[in-house]
């Protein structure tokens, strides 16, 4: 399993919230699974709400979309290798 970093842009009523870019990490086999997870996993909404409340206060949003996805290099133990820059695999 690989680890992907995803930058999500939050929006409300179809308008992007300029300051609201939220980073999350997704464990997935490939890019297709990352995109599917972003659409189907309800835990992502909870994670986004927590991040938004901690960093932006009571920010109201009703949608999110990825604007950048990168893949981390992992160590032999499966942890993110902090010494290597992640590779961008998808970007708007």
């Amino acid at each position: 399993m690989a680890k992907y970093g995803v930058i999500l842009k939050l929006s409300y009523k179809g308008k992007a919230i300029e300051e609201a870019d939220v980073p999350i990490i997704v464990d997935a086999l490939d890019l297709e699974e990352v995109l599917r997870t972003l659409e189907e996993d309800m835990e992502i909404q909870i994670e986004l709400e927590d991040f938004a409340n901690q960093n932006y206060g009571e920010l109201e949003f009703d949608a999110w979309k990825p604007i950048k996805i990168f893949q981390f290099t992992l160590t032999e133990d499966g942890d993110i290798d902090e010494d290597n820059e992640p590779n961008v695999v998808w970007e708007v």
Side-chain angles (χ1 to χ4, degrees):
M1 181 113 4
K3 290 190 183 294
Y4 292 86
V6 181
I7 307 296
L8 297 167
K9 173 61 80 180
L10 303 182
S11 62
Y12 182 67
K13 294 186 178 181
K15 292 186 73 176
I17 302 168
E18 197 60 39
E19 74 276 4
D21 293 347
V22 179
I24 64 170
I25 295 176
V26 176
D27 293 326
L29 295 174
D30 55 26
L31 184 58
E32 185 177 316
E33 185 177 356
V34 171
L35 295 172
R36 190 170 44 254
T37 298
L38 294 174
E39 289 179 12
E40 299 172 359
D41 191 344
M42 290 308 294
E43 286 184 28
I44 289 177
Q45 181 173 351
I46 294 166
E47 189 175 335
L48 292 175
E49 288 171 352
D50 287 345
F51 184 91
N53 288 336
Q54 290 175 15
N55 292 281
Y56 304 117
E58 291 296 321
L59 180 66
E60 191 170 1
F61 65 94
D62 59 8
W64 58 88
K65 67 177 183 175
I67 57 174
K68 189 178 209 177
I69 301 174
F70 45 91
Q71 185 174 6
F72 292 105
T73 302
L74 303 179
T75 64
E76 291 179 10
D77 297 332
D79 297 323
I80 294 172
D81 186 347
E82 302 291 336
D83 294 331
N84 287 311
E85 289 291 318
N87 298 317
V88 174
V89 294
W90 184 88
E91 192 168 10
V92 176

